[in-house]
Amino acid sequence: MRPILSCEEVRNLEDIIEKEGTSKAELMELAGEFAAAQVERLSPKTVLVLVGFGNNGGDGWVAADILSQKGIKVTVVSPVEPDEVPSTLARHVARRTAGRDVTVFVGPSRDELSALIAKADVVLDAILGTGFSGNLRPPFNIWIDALNDAAATVVAVDVPSGLNAQTGEVSDVAVRADVTATMLAPKLGLFSADGPEYAGELICGELYDKLDEVINDVEHAAETVEASDLIDFMGPLPSGANKYSRGSVLVVAGSATYPGAAIMAAKAAARAGAGYVAVAAPEPCANLIRLALPSVPVFGMPADSRGAFGAAAPMQVAELAARYDCVLCGPGMTTAAGCMGVVTSLLALDKPLVLDADALNCLASVAIDGIDSTPELYRREAPLILTPHYGELARLVDESGVADLAHAIDAAQRIVWAAGSDNLVIIAKGPTTAVVGVEKVLLPLSGPASLATAGSGDVLAGIIAGSAALNHDTVDAWELLCAYAVALHSYTGFAAAERWGEKSVIATDLIDLIGDAMRLMTDEVLGDLDGEGAQGAAVKEA
C-alpha cells in the first residue's frame, strides 16, 4: 500500500525531513530535478515553464535550469522579475536560473503567451502548489485559460494549478495536465472530485532517500491498495472444500417493485465464491426470484400491502439469518415500516452484516441528527459493512454536502469513530471509492465509467457478501477484504467495457464476468510480484 497525504500531512512530513537533515532548499532542488526528468522523458526540443510566486514556482525554476543544461531550449514565463519573487527559496533559484542560458519572459499578454505555448513541445506547469484554494486571480486565470485552449502537452508540478490539493475541487479553471509529477506522496485532491480528470498520468517522486523510514511518522489521509496487497484473497479453493466450508450468505432484499435487485445481489454473491446463497424476500416477489435463480433457495416473508417486508417479517428474517455466515440486507427493499424493523433486528444479531441501499436509508430514517449522533443504533461486536454512495452517506450523517471523496471520507470517519469498532467498515462509493475503517482509509482500484449504471451497486453488495462468507474464518482486516471486493467489482467493469463497449454495459453483464475479473486480478498480482503490474499505474513511482 502507498500513502496518500493531506496538505497538512505533507507539511508535517517536510518538517520531519528537515529535522532529519534535509533542508527545504534541498527538497526544492530534488523536486525540480524530478519535474525536469518527467519533462525530459517526453523528448522535447523546446520547453515553456510557467512559474508562480511561491515554492511551486521555485521547483519550476530549478527544472528550467536543469533542462537548459541538457541542451533543451527553455523559456520561463514569470509574473514578476526574478529579483521580485516573494518566496525566499524561490527567489534564490530564480536569480540563479535567470543568469544562465534560459529566456525569461515577464508578464506577457495573453496573445504573447499563446504564441509561446504554440512554439513549445512541452509546457511545465509550476504556477500554483498545494497551498492554493479559492478562486484564481490574474494573471494566472488568464495563463491557465490560454494553456488549456492551446491543448498543449503539459506536465504539472505536484498538482495541476487551480486544483484544490485537499478536496480536488476546481472552482474556476485549472490546468488540464497530461502528467502530474507529485512530490513525496500523492495528495488526496488528486483522487477526489475533479482531481482524476485534471491530473492525467500520476507519477510520484519520493525525493528523500529515507522516506520509508519517516512517512509513517505522519498520519495518512488514505492509502492506495495495490494488487499484491490482496493476494491472500486470491488463492485456490482447498481440495476438501464443500458448499458449507465455502461460507453461506443470506440476501435479505427485494420487493414487489424491485425484485431484480435481490436477484443480482444473490447471483453476485454466489459468483464471488460463497458456497451457499439463499434469499429472504417478501412473498409477492418470491416466486419471480425463484424462477430467476433455480439454484438458490428463496424464503417468502410476510409482506405489507405494497409488496415490501411486513410487520411480521423482522422476527422471521432474524431467525433465518442466524443460520448463515454472512447477511446482506437492503437491495431493492424499500423503506417501508417493516423494512426498518428488519434492519434493526439484523443489527442485533452476532453475524457479519452488510447493509446496502435501502437498508442504509432505513438506518438513516430511525436516527435523529445523523447516525453518528446515536452510535448505539449500529454499534455491535460482529462485523458491520455499510456501502453508501455519496447521497446515502449524506443522509446517514444528516448533511447535504457530501459531494466528493474528501468530504465522503470525513463523513464516513465520523460514523466509524462514533462507534469506535474495529469491525465497522464504510465503503463510500463514488468515482474513487474509499474503504474507511477506524484506523485507516484504503483506496482500491477504481473502475471505469461503465460501472455508473443502475444495479451496479447491487452487484458490488453481492460481491462483498460472497467474499466475506468465503473468507469468514480467516479475515484479519475487514478493510482489506472490502478493498478486495471493490477491486474485483472494478475489474468486472473493465472486462465488461472491453466486451460490450463502455456505454453499453448493464449491471447483469458484470455478474457473469466476476470469474474473468478474478483471473485478471490474479494475473495482476503475478505481474506486481514480477515488477510489471499495472494496477499501481494509477500512482507510478519514479
Side-chain angles (χ1 to χ4, degrees):
M1 283 178 273
R2 296 175 178 172
I4 298 168
L5 303 186
S6 68
C7 296
E8 181 180 359
E9 290 162 354
V10 171
R11 289 190 290 270
N12 293 340
L13 179 59
E14 289 175 344
D15 290 342
I16 291 171
I17 292 173
E18 187 170 36
K19 290 177 181 177
E20 292 290 322
T22 299
S23 69
K24 290 184 171 66
E26 291 175 273
L27 283 178
M28 181 176 288
E29 296 289 339
L30 292 168
E33 183 179 349
F34 179 72
Q38 304 319 307
V39 172
E40 189 180 8
R41 72 187 179 98
L42 299 174
S43 303
K45 294 181 179 178
T46 59
V47 173
L48 181 67
V49 181
L50 305 180
V51 298
F53 294 113
N55 288 346
N56 191 260
D59 298 342
W61 283 105
V62 173
D65 190 7
I66 292 171
L67 291 168
S68 69
Q69 293 180 47
K70 293 179 178 290
I72 297 170
K73 185 178 179 181
V74 180
T75 299
V76 177
V77 172
S78 172
V80 295
E81 295 287 348
D83 285 339
E84 298 172 357
V85 173
S87 165
T88 302
L89 291 178
R91 184 168 62 249
H92 169 72
V93 295
R95 287 171 175 166
R96 183 186 69 195
T97 301
R100 298 200 175 151
D101 193 18
V102 170
T103 301
V104 179
F105 207 127
V106 178
S109 68
R110 176 170 177 141
D111 288 344
E112 290 170 330
L113 179 61
S114 296
L116 292 170
I117 294 170
K119 295 176 182 178
D121 297 319
V122 176
V123 179
L124 182 64
D125 162 32
I127 305 171
L128 301 167
T130 58
F132 168 77
S133 63
N135 295 313
L136 285 166
R137 295 178 294 177
F140 301 137
N141 56 343
I142 299 170
W143 289 13
I144 293 172
D145 269 332
L147 182 57
N148 289 341
D149 286 348
T153 299
V154 179
V155 175
V157 177
D158 220 6
V159 295
S161 293
L163 181 78
N164 186 307
Q166 181 63 26
T167 67
E169 295 173 329
V170 174
S171 59
D172 183 14
V173 65
V175 169
R176 291 186 177 273
D178 297 280
V179 178
T180 295
T182 196
M183 309 302 171
L184 295 177
K187 317 310 181 282
L188 185 61
L190 296 170
F191 298 86
S192 178
D194 302 309
E197 178 184 354
Y198 283 80
E201 181 185 9
L202 186 57
I203 304 177
C204 183
E206 293 190 352
L207 305 187
Y208 180 57
D209 58 2
K210 298 180 181 178
L211 186 64
D212 289 344
E213 298 177 15
V214 298
I215 199 163
N216 288 325
D217 292 340
V218 299
E219 297 290 332
H220 298 170
E223 295 174 285
T224 58
V225 180
E226 300 175 88
S228 57
D229 296 320
L230 305 173
I231 192 170
D232 289 345
F233 303 107
M234 299 182 196
L237 292 172
S239 58
N242 59 58
K243 63 182 178 182
Y244 299 111
S245 66
R246 289 176 58 180
S248 58
V249 174
L250 178 67
V251 177
V252 182
S255 61
T257 307
Y258 305 111
I263 294 168
M264 287 188 289
K267 192 172 181 181
R271 289 285 192 204
Y276 189 94
V277 178
V279 175
E283 187 61 56
C285 65
N287 277 337
L288 180 58
I289 297 172
R290 291 185 184 106
L291 288 171
L293 299 172
S295 63
V296 173
V298 179
F299 300 91
M301 294 288 139
D304 64 13
S305 60
R306 294 171 293 179
F309 287 107
M315 182 177 295
Q316 293 188 31
V317 168
E319 290 176 354
L320 180 63
R323 308 204 302 256
Y324 291 81
D325 295 313
C326 181
V327 180
L328 164 61
C329 177
M333 190 173 68
T334 81
T335 57
C339 300
M340 294 184 189
V342 166
V343 172
T344 54
S345 69
L346 292 175
L347 283 166
L349 289 181
D350 186 25
K351 293 286 181 179
L353 176 63
V354 181
L355 295 185
D356 180 60
D358 281 329
L360 299 170
N361 294 326
C362 287
L363 187 59
S365 296
V366 299
I368 300 173
D369 297 327
I371 65 170
D372 53 311
S373 299
T374 52
E376 61 274 9
L377 285 173
Y378 60 95
R379 184 183 289 128
R380 64 203 301 265
E381 293 296 325
L384 174 62
I385 300 169
L386 309 182
T387 64
H389 56 59
Y390 290 171
E392 291 162 344
L393 186 53
R395 288 190 284 274
L396 287 171
V397 295
D398 194 30
E399 287 187 1
S400 58
V402 181
D404 56 63
L405 176 66
H407 290 105
I409 290 173
D410 287 343
Q413 286 178 326
R414 282 169 50 186
I415 296 171
V416 171
W417 291 343
S421 171
D422 290 339
N423 288 335
L424 172 59
V425 180
I426 296 179
I427 300 174
K429 298 183 295 191
T432 299
T433 293
V435 177
V436 181
V438 71
E439 292 185 348
K440 61 178 62 178
V441 177
L442 303 180
L443 301 186
L445 177 70
S446 294
S450 56
L451 289 176
T453 185
S456 176
D458 301 322
V459 175
L460 173 58
I463 291 173
I464 295 166
S467 301
L470 180 61
N471 297 280
H472 70 280
D473 285 335
T474 59
V475 178
D476 293 323
W478 286 91
E479 297 100 329
L480 202 57
L481 179 134
C482 291
Y484 163 77
V486 171
L488 179 57
H489 183 247
S490 295
Y491 274 106
T492 67
F494 287 117
E498 178 69 22
R499 182 170 298 187
W500 285 288
E502 184 180 55
K503 296 179 181 178
S504 299
V505 173
I506 59 177
T508 50
D509 297 333
L510 305 173
I511 299 169
D512 290 334
L513 290 175
I514 291 174
D516 291 341
M518 287 179 175
R519 284 192 290 272
L520 285 171
M521 288 185 72
T522 301
D523 291 344
E524 186 66 42
V525 168
L526 296 176
D528 259 9
L529 296 178
D530 290 338
E532 300 175 355
Q535 183 182 350
V539 185
K540 292 182 179 178
E541 290 183 353

